[in-house]
Amino acid sequence: MIYTCLRKLYPAIVGLAAAIIMVSCHHEQHFITDADYRAQVEKDFEARKTLAAGCADDLFSVMDTSLSLEETEAMQFLYAYMPYSDLADYDGTFFLKQVRTAFAARDTFSWGRTVPEDVFRHFVLVYRVNNENLDTARMFIFNELKDRVKGMTMYDAALEVNHWCHEKVTYRPSDIRTSAPLATIRMGYGRCGEESTLLVTALRAVGIPARQCYTPRWAHTDDNHAWVEVWVDGKWYYLGACEPDAKLNMAWFTIPSTRCMMVHTKAFGRYKGDEEVVRRTGLYSELNLLSHYADTRHITATVQDKEGKPLKDAQVKFKLYNYSEYYTLATMTTDADGQASITTGLGDLLVWACKDGNYGYAKIDVRKNDKITIKLTHTEGGEYVENLEINPPVGKFREDDVTDEELAANAKRLAYEDSIRNAYLATFPTMSTVGVETHGRASLQPNPNLTDEQLWDIIRRSEGNYAEIIKFLNNHADEKLAGVIHCTAGYENFDMSWNLLYDYLCTYSDKDLRDIVADVLDAHWVVPPMHPLVREYYIFYKKGLLPARISNEMVRPYREELLSIFRGFTADSLFRWTAENILVDDTGNYYRCPISPVGVYKLRHADAHSRDIFFIAACRSIGIPAYMDNATEQLFVYDDNKNDWKIVSFAERQEPAKTGKLRLEFHGTPELKPQYWTHFTIAKFNDGDFTSFDYENDPRVASFPATLELEAGYYMLSTGNRYSDGATLSRLEFFVIPEGKTVTKEIVIRPLEARPGENYGKISSNIAFETSDGDVKLVDLAKEKPLVLCFIDANREPTKHTLKELGAMKATFDKWGGNILLVIPEDRNTQPFDKSRWNLPKKTIVMVDGSGMQKKVLAESKQYFRDNYPLIFIADKEGNLVFKSEGYRIGTAELIYKTLTQIK
């Protein structure tokens, strides 16, 4: 009876259940509540699915699993706007974990639901910070920190997350590839871009909105800097990444940031915030945050043709002198009135405009003017010299609302956090413990292919990643990979030493060895047969086949897969296939994180740089030696017929590039030999503007005269010389390199002129410090040669730059022969100072200031100072302070030396 009734009621029950489910789904919460914005995201997502069809299974199959409405919309948002590198090199499961952990953080912490939907969407949910390799740091850090910050206010939690980051990482410069956050933690070190990537990731992991901010170039000194802005209770604050201060809106760069001409950040997706937008695309917006830090002015450039008529759709680039080039801060397109505008700081800019191959430029002093007119009067090929003087904004002091007690408490915490990190770093192998099993990791097996020195060189460079390197070495301990081979080449007989294993490992950068895994090392390990190992082949093999790395990409496996696809191709047929099948779009990969070679093949879309990396990788995979010249980004392929390299160019559709030669000469002071970027750059004209080559640390320009083989064309040689206040004497020389000709140019660095009245007070004979041999007076250290007096905070980035520069110029300062006194204020002495680490000049004295020397010097000289280290003076034999440098400045050591040589 009951069964019969249930059978009759079954259709109604099913219908009711379906209705309940439909109502429940209908009322499930949207992640994107704005219906119009949600519709736009869905439209952009569908377009992205079409573009990424080659990666569809890896990327989008996760969307067919059991997702909530919020998860679905969040995933659509990420897919709709992620750069090509992420579409090509990661899968849907990775992104779903990111989404679910972001939602878990929102629901775990008290501040989670107070974050506005749009702020959460753009600055918490998003998994990428800049151009780093992606990893599972969000999940790891959420679990690490959830109990530590739970119950705190949002403000205190932001500070606490930075303290956690400081326990893990401290500053050290490195190459341009940005490590993943977990790799940075494993190393214990990172440059500012890596420290800020870690902090933004950590803050987002606990549901606190954060974004990485950059001054793309400083105005008062060379280089750039990255830091973090954090959203707390409705307001954006700044902080130094992995450099915790007692409060937010405190950092060593507080004063330098007031001298910036641009501070920017990227907002993922279609962003509708109220910040000034300097570039808006369908994938991201670039925001100008300069008004958060510095006095600003809105300037307008008007572009005219030779007859003075306004030019629509001309390209305008606002450029800042830095590293001996004029770096583009922002690029705009002129409107119907020929105008383009930007907000910038109160210093000098070079405004460059171009259209249809014509160009023009002019300097604007933003302190005095907010308008400038540029006529496109120059064309490619004009040879002339242009001298400019570029002045940065003047720095402004901002008082920190912090007590001495708060500063002391923070310093105590920093010292403790340093001890935690140093204890971890102490677990890295030493020369005496390389073969000893450590923390359960595999010990090193004997390897006859490596000498003790070679073995230690590789292990030392790998630092916290030593276990992976040991694993790889153990995999090849029984192979004969080194020795001497007798070779015959024509009429020549000779013996040649070879060591494939060590050669192979030396193709990797220090950073590679610190984050690569053994499986990837094995995937790229290619051993040639011995019989063709004659000298010429070995040279081409070492340069064009052995390395896995091609440019600045994260090394991933590619050889086996690309070999299976392109087996039997020649270099020419592979070039044609690449040109015909890889669609180049330099806006789609907007974070400029190189796409892996396999990712390029699958996606079939790439930026030009990733396309070029793919081509070289494919050549190597099928046994054709090839490489990229990373100074000029030219592509070279081995030519069997000529037994030599040939240049190929996608711009020229494979026609061999026409070349000439540039001979560079220098006739100035030998002690101040020009360094690339620091003193000069070479740039080639293309599409209305000049693009600088990157010859940093390149042996081709290590001494002069230097001869470079370059494509025939129009070039610019830029040099510069900075005063202590950041003002620069700039020189630009425009010239042509004809095909088959050698052009000689002198590197001319304009001399700094003596500025009268540069005096920063005087110190008396009463200021002294204790040594084991008794008191030493400062003026006594300046009797024979001027004294370089440096007050330092060795734990902060600006001082580390100066110490590194002093070490690099050790021979020069040793030849000069004067005293350099490094004074560490007692409250900055949070960890022992290791003088040997920096290779400092031999007459360097280090002391900890427990007697108030810094206060006495400042009081007697009447100089104001607020913790903007390093503070550097030069005192002459009379005690006069004739030089002062304060805070962050690249090139400080050279500037000190130049000043010393001018003192009579």
Side-chain angles (χ1 to χ4, degrees):
M1 179 72 177
I2 294 174
Y3 176 73
T4 303
C5 290
L6 287 175
R7 284 186 60 191
K8 292 179 179 179
L9 289 172
Y10 181 76
I13 293 171
V14 172
L16 179 61
I20 291 172
I21 292 171
M22 288 180 67
V23 170
S24 173
C25 290
H26 180 72
H27 286 92
E28 190 176 354
Q29 183 175 344
H30 281 289
F31 173 62
I32 302 174
T33 57
D34 183 323
D36 292 338
Y37 190 92
R38 187 168 64 246
Q40 181 66 60
V41 170
E42 290 171 355
K43 179 181 177 182
D44 293 339
F45 167 64
E46 291 300 325
R48 216 62 168 163
K49 283 178 69 176
T50 301
L51 182 146
C55 305
D57 290 342
D58 291 337
L59 277 173
F60 304 120
S61 59
V62 71
M63 299 296 286
D64 298 326
T65 61
S66 180
L67 305 183
S68 70
L69 181 60
E70 277 197 312
E71 290 171 346
T72 298
E73 291 178 1
M75 290 288 283
Q76 289 178 339
F77 173 75
L78 294 181
Y79 281 135
Y81 307 115
M82 65 177 57
Y84 289 164
S85 57
D86 302 351
L87 291 169
D89 289 330
Y90 302 90
D91 61 28
T93 300
F94 174 85
F95 297 117
L96 182 58
K97 288 178 180 177
Q98 296 283 339
V99 166
R100 286 177 170 167
T101 308
F103 287 158
R106 180 194 62 185
D107 298 335
T108 298
F109 303 106
S110 58
W111 54 80
R113 294 286 181 177
T114 70
V115 178
E117 175 188 313
D118 61 333
V119 175
F120 182 90
R121 184 169 62 236
H122 294 284
F123 301 113
V124 175
L125 176 70
V126 176
Y127 53 88
R128 178 173 286 288
V129 178
N130 198 322
N131 59 353
E132 75 276 12
N133 180 46
L134 300 178
D135 64 11
T136 57
R138 185 195 291 263
M139 289 65 88
F140 169 78
I141 295 172
F142 172 74
N143 290 317
E144 279 277 305
L145 288 178
K146 62 181 179 181
D147 294 330
R148 182 163 167 169
V149 302
K150 202 170 184 179
M152 290 184 174
T153 66
M154 197 177 191
Y155 186 101
D156 289 341
L159 289 171
E160 190 65 27
V161 170
N162 203 18
H163 278 288
W164 180 85
C165 289
H166 179 245
E167 291 174 11
K168 305 297 182 184
V169 174
T170 190
Y171 177 79
R172 183 176 66 186
S174 64
D175 65 40
I176 63 171
R177 181 170 69 82
T178 304
S179 293
L182 292 181
T184 301
I185 290 173
R186 188 163 56 249
M187 283 188 285
Y189 296 101
R191 55 176 172 77
C192 62
E194 291 161 334
E195 289 179 304
S196 51
T197 294
L198 170 61
L199 178 56
V200 170
T201 301
L203 289 164
R204 291 179 180 178
V206 296
I208 298 177
R211 57 195 183 191
Q212 183 189 58
C213 302
Y214 258 103
T215 180
R217 292 292 188 272
W218 292 111
H220 70 287
T221 184
D222 287 339
D223 216 338
N224 59 9
H225 189 56
W227 59 87
V228 173
E229 283 193 348
V230 58
W231 187 95
V232 174
D233 300 329
K235 179 182 176 181
W236 288 101
Y237 297 82
Y238 69 84
L239 66 167
C242 303
E243 298 175 317
D245 277 287
K247 293 186 175 182
L248 299 177
N249 280 358
M250 282 183 64
W252 63 258
F253 55 82
T254 294
I255 295 175
S257 69
T258 67
R259 308 186 73 182
C260 290
M261 299 294 284
M262 171 68 72
V263 175
H264 68 204
T265 191
K266 283 187 173 69
F268 183 103
R270 295 181 184 271
Y271 184 66
K272 297 183 178 181
D274 57 5
E275 299 93 338
E276 179 183 357
V277 177
V278 293
R279 187 180 187 191
R280 192 187 302 277
T281 75
L283 299 174
Y284 74 98
S285 293
E286 192 162 287
L287 313 179
N288 183 1
L289 307 178
L290 183 62
S291 61
H292 295 190
Y293 303 92
D295 293 336
T296 63
R297 176 169 285 170
H298 196 72
I299 63 172
T300 300
T302 301
V303 181
Q304 299 176 348
D305 62 16
K306 294 178 181 179
E307 285 73 42
K309 298 177 182 178
L311 272 178
K312 182 184 178 183
D313 294 330
Q315 197 173 64
V316 179
K317 299 183 178 185
F318 298 89
K319 292 174 175 279
L320 175 66
Y321 178 88
N322 189 286
Y323 270 140
S324 295
E325 69 168 355
Y326 284 88
Y327 179 87
T328 300
L329 298 177
T331 301
M332 306 286 187
T333 301
T334 55
D335 59 20
D337 296 321
Q339 294 184 338
S341 301
I342 193 174
T343 299
T344 188
L346 305 184
D348 292 345
L349 290 177
L350 187 70
V351 185
W352 188 281
C354 55
K355 185 177 182 181
D356 299 332
N358 299 315
Y359 70 93
Y361 56 87
K363 187 185 86 167
I364 181 172
D365 182 346
V366 184
R367 289 173 294 268
K368 300 176 181 178
N369 302 298
D370 60 3
K371 294 181 175 62
I372 191 168
T373 299
I374 302 162
K375 287 188 177 182
L376 304 192
T377 57
H378 294 281
T379 57
E380 181 175 358
E383 297 194 315
Y384 60 99
V385 172
E386 184 87 64
N387 288 329
L388 298 166
E389 181 169 343
I390 305 296
N391 293 285
V394 176
K396 294 181 66 176
F397 175 73
R398 293 205 300 258
E399 187 72 47
D400 294 323
D401 181 23
V402 61
T403 66
D404 290 341
E405 291 75 18
E406 288 169 327
L407 289 172
N410 191 65
K412 187 175 181 180
R413 282 204 69 176
L414 295 181
Y416 174 67
E417 290 155 10
D418 287 337
S419 71
I420 294 173
R421 184 185 344 97
N422 290 336
Y424 165 69
L425 297 176
T427 66
F428 294 179
T430 64
M431 199 170 212
S432 60
T433 64
V434 165
V436 179
E437 187 169 338
T438 305
H439 299 304
R441 301 186 183 190
S443 59
L444 182 66
Q445 299 173 15
N447 195 310
N449 299 293
L450 300 175
T451 65
D452 290 345
E453 291 75 15
Q454 290 171 336
L455 177 62
W456 171 238
D457 175 55
I458 297 299
I459 297 298
R460 173 189 59 79
R461 290 167 56 205
S462 68
E463 297 185 338
N465 197 43
Y466 62 89
E468 290 295 327
I469 305 305
I470 288 174
K471 180 180 177 182
F472 170 76
L473 292 172
N474 288 346
N475 290 344
H476 303 281
D478 297 329
E479 302 171 28
K480 182 173 176 54
L481 300 169
V484 177
I485 187 170
H486 184 74
C487 302
T488 302
Y491 297 103
E492 183 182 3
N493 293 297
F494 56 91
D495 291 331
M496 185 176 72
S497 297
W498 56 279
N499 189 324
L500 295 180
L501 187 63
Y502 187 64
D503 287 344
Y504 173 60
L505 291 171
C506 284
T507 66
Y508 291 99
S509 69
D510 289 356
K511 188 174 289 183
D512 291 336
L513 294 176
R514 292 165 190 160
D515 63 10
I516 203 165
V517 297
D519 289 347
V520 174
L521 289 170
D522 277 321
H524 285 288
W525 176 233
V526 180
V527 181
M530 289 296 102
H531 59 83
L533 195 63
V534 296
R535 180 165 53 190
E536 289 83 357
Y537 180 82
Y538 193 43
I539 291 170
F540 290 114
Y541 166 79
K542 283 180 66 176
K543 192 176 185 70
L545 277 180
L546 186 65
R549 164 163 306 293
I550 295 161
S551 182
N552 63 327
E553 77 280 10
M554 176 73 181
V555 179
R556 292 181 170 91
Y558 59 75
R559 294 187 195 258
E560 184 176 353
E561 186 160 353
L562 295 186
L563 174 61
S564 69
I565 296 166
F566 296 111
R567 190 189 305 272
F569 275 61
T570 65
D572 289 347
S573 60
L574 180 58
F575 184 95
R576 288 193 298 272
W577 187 95
T578 303
E580 292 167 3
N581 289 276
I582 305 302
L583 181 63
V584 172
D585 169 13
D586 283 325
T587 61
N589 200 33
Y590 56 90
Y591 275 109
R592 298 183 181 179
C593 183
I595 309 168
S596 74
V598 172
V600 170
Y601 175 78
K602 290 180 177 179
L603 192 65
R604 305 294 173 94
H605 291 260
D607 56 285
H609 186 58
S610 295
R611 184 268 321 272
D612 293 349
I613 291 173
F614 163 80
F615 172 71
I616 298 299
C619 284
R620 291 179 181 177
S621 299
I622 59 178
I624 299 172
Y627 75 95
M628 179 187 295
D629 183 332
N630 284 304
T632 63
E633 297 195 349
Q634 289 176 312
L635 307 182
F636 291 80
V637 175
Y638 177 67
D639 187 338
D640 263 328
N641 297 322
K642 297 181 179 178
N643 192 32
D644 201 356
W645 299 109
K646 69 176 180 180
I647 300 174
V648 297
S649 169
F650 285 98
E652 302 294 335
R653 300 294 291 186
Q654 205 178 4
E655 290 296 321
K658 299 176 176 64
T659 65
K661 292 183 179 180
L662 173 63
R663 176 184 165 91
L664 293 173
E665 297 180 348
F666 176 68
H667 305 299
T669 306
E671 288 81 8
L672 295 176
K673 181 179 66 177
Q675 303 292 317
Y676 199 84
W677 289 123
T678 303
H679 303 103
F680 75 102
T681 56
I682 305 161
K684 188 174 187 298
F685 188 78
N686 181 46
D687 196 24
D689 193 11
F690 289 86
T691 302
S692 297
F693 295 145
D694 184 4
Y695 283 104
E696 184 175 19
N697 299 322
D698 195 307
R700 288 173 289 184
V701 293
S703 60
F704 300 97
T707 301
L708 302 171
E709 183 171 5
L710 300 170
E711 289 187 40
Y714 190 36
Y715 286 85
M716 179 175 69
L717 174 62
S718 173
T719 64
N721 204 358
R722 281 193 189 271
Y723 287 101
S724 60
D725 64 359
T728 301
L729 300 181
S730 165
R731 182 181 189 272
L732 304 175
E733 182 169 5
F734 301 81
F735 60 96
V736 174
I737 299 179
E739 180 186 358
K741 303 290 185 181
T742 297
V743 174
T744 299
K745 292 295 172 183
E746 181 183 355
I747 298 174
V748 178
I749 299 175
R750 295 169 63 191
L752 300 180
E753 299 175 2
R755 289 178 166 182
E758 280 196 309
N759 191 292
Y760 302 96
K762 187 173 183 176
I763 55 175
S764 71
S765 60
N766 298 322
I767 302 178
F769 61 95
E770 293 182 5
T771 71
S772 57
D773 297 323
D775 288 353
V776 176
K777 296 180 178 180
L778 293 188
V779 291
D780 289 341
L781 293 177
K783 277 185 176 180
E784 297 181 4
K785 296 284 181 72
L787 168 66
V788 180
L789 175 61
C790 309
F791 297 97
I792 65 172
D793 181 350
N795 301 311
R796 295 281 180 140
E797 179 180 339
T799 293
K800 291 179 180 180
H801 276 292
T802 299
L803 293 173
K804 183 181 178 184
E805 291 176 6
L806 288 170
M809 294 184 66
K810 172 179 166 55
T812 300
F813 280 101
D814 285 347
K815 185 176 179 181
W816 163 67
N819 292 302
I820 300 173
L821 178 61
L822 302 182
V823 183
I824 306 172
E826 194 169 39
D827 64 340
R828 303 285 163 167
N829 189 36
T830 59
Q831 59 178 319
F833 181 77
D834 182 5
K835 181 179 175 181
S836 63
R837 173 186 171 188
W838 302 102
N839 188 37
L840 295 169
K842 62 184 179 182
K843 295 194 71 174
T844 300
I845 305 166
V846 181
M847 63 160 290
V848 176
D849 179 16
S851 60
M853 178 190 291
Q854 176 181 297
K855 290 183 179 179
K856 293 175 184 176
V857 170
L858 291 172
E860 290 195 0
S861 63
K862 297 181 173 58
Q863 294 295 311
Y864 182 80
F865 178 69
R866 177 66 180 187
D867 297 339
N868 192 24
Y869 294 99
L871 172 63
I872 303 172
F873 294 104
I874 295 178
D876 66 16
K877 61 184 178 181
E878 305 297 332
N880 298 307
L881 300 179
V882 297
F883 172 92
K884 179 186 176 185
S885 174
E886 181 180 340
Y888 185 93
R889 176 176 285 121
I890 297 298
T892 299
E894 181 181 316
L895 192 57
I896 290 170
Y897 180 75
K898 288 177 181 176
T899 305
L900 291 170
T901 60
Q902 294 171 355
I903 298 174
K904 303 301 183 183

